[in-house]
Amino acid sequence: MNDLNKTKFFYSLMCLAGFLIIALPVGIANFYFGYVLGDSPCILCWGQREAMIFIGVMALFIVRYGLKGKYLATLLVMAAFAIWQSFAHFGNHAERDLDQGFGLPIFGIHTYFWAEIVFWVVVLMLGVIFFFAPRFDSFEKELNGEKTRKFTKATSAMFIIVSVIIASNVFQAFVSTGIPPYHGQGDPVRFTFDKKYIVWDKSGWGSFWKNISFLGKRDVRNPDYAFAPASEKLGIKFDNNPENAPTKIDETLSIVSQKDLSIEAPLNSLNYINNEYVGSSKFNVFFMNDKFEINDEFELDPYFSATVDPIIGIVPYMQDKFILMGSNKSFLRFAKNPNADKFLQYADFIKGNDKFEGQGDGLGRGRINTVRAKFHHIASMATDGDYLYTATVPNNKDKNKFVISKIATKDRVLSAEFTPNADLKQDKTLGDLYITSMVYKDGLLYALSKQHNVILLIDLKNQEVVKTISFPSEIANARALILNNNKFDILSYQDNKNILFTLE
């Protein structure tokens, strides 16, 4: 095949590709789904349909005016943006249960995911078409000095059909969504010509410009840590006055003693497990004796496998093991072993891989998938042996929600989520608190809040707050709670020191 024939074949493939992307997904969606089945696109669906039209039209521009760099560049940019559009759309529905979705399914796949397939096929077809492309100088020769290429009858027919489909889509868009400033519906009603049921909506403009972010709901700032205060980023002004707590105070603790700990790292968590204190600071974990002298320690590699955000708690697991949890609800099950295989354990630990194990039977990383707590970090964890319990903290997006998640230790799968019932003050929510530590005892969760200096006692069986205990404002940055018989040990990082207060 000579270069001229290769060039004509190239344009034939490009014309067919441009025609098919408009005739099939766009044409079928418009004529059959729209007019026959009454399907009306949502805002994002319209965006994807428009992207298909733009890509198809640009391919036909190449067929009409010849291959030019600006046309090819525009085609690739449109395809890239379209892939992002479709990813953003089906991402809203990707984690739904079986057969849940939005709009009409085709062969079991909803239209928004078909859009993703179509756009990847565009990229694939471009590769195939250019695989058969001739030398680039032959495109100029094929034009023969003309500004436009001559059409065949088949090409003319395709252009006419494409024009009709585009015009029909414009008409359907006008009927179902209106003209600017109307922009369509997030949850569109069935397509109809009966004006009584047609909805022209522009309500989305009110909130569109308030918080522009490519992350959307996930544009949540990092929580407040002992080593990284985040009050300003979260938009939360912390105070230590129990009178501002959302529930009335039932009991007040007094400081009996306080002790400056020798460890210099700002401790974000502290627990007492198997006659040792176990503390964490960011990705470092310390095992300490009763004098808070370090016996063992390791530094976690947070980015291996499941990324673990800064550690917010460590609890016992399966008698001789431990679970550490990150604020992003990713965890590591690990164990002590003075004879650890440092080569095998290199994956989990930057330091300490010769004394600790994260790889092996009953060990390893994982993620907790939540529902109500999905868009919130956690800053605390407790266990009763059978279940892990975590509590959300407020953030820059939502300062009202408070959710306790219950996770089975056997398989680390969510078992329940709830917001405890509580006798709240007027205009207050449990989201006013900032729970940094929790302890389980006798069916109750003791939830320590650095905000307003209170401890909630949550009855797990009845899912309600049964008591609120306050502690003195001198404790300015409460990070951890340890129950010591009838006394309470509260760790606070303040004045650049880890201070352990004993109260009763």
Side-chain angles (χ1 to χ4, degrees), residues 28-72:
I28 292 173
N30 174 233
F31 288 105
Y32 183 64
F33 287 176
Y35 299 138
V36 177
L37 300 181
D39 182 59
S40 188
C42 70
I43 301 171
L44 294 175
C45 291
W46 270 123
Q48 290 168 283
R49 192 181 294 188
E50 289 166 5
M52 292 178 192
I53 292 174
F54 296 152
I55 290 171
V57 167
M58 191 51 58
L60 297 180
F61 260 66
I62 292 174
V63 174
R64 180 57 170 166
Y65 298 105
L67 180 65
K68 292 180 173 60
K70 60 184 178 181
Y71 295 154
L72 180 59

Side-chain angles (χ1 to χ4, degrees), residues 91-112:
N92 293 328
H93 307 278
E95 293 188 6
R96 297 192 187 279
D97 281 10
L98 182 67
D99 289 338
Q100 294 177 347
F102 183 94
L104 295 172
I106 308 168
F107 302 119
I109 301 176
H110 289 271
T111 51
Y112 47 81

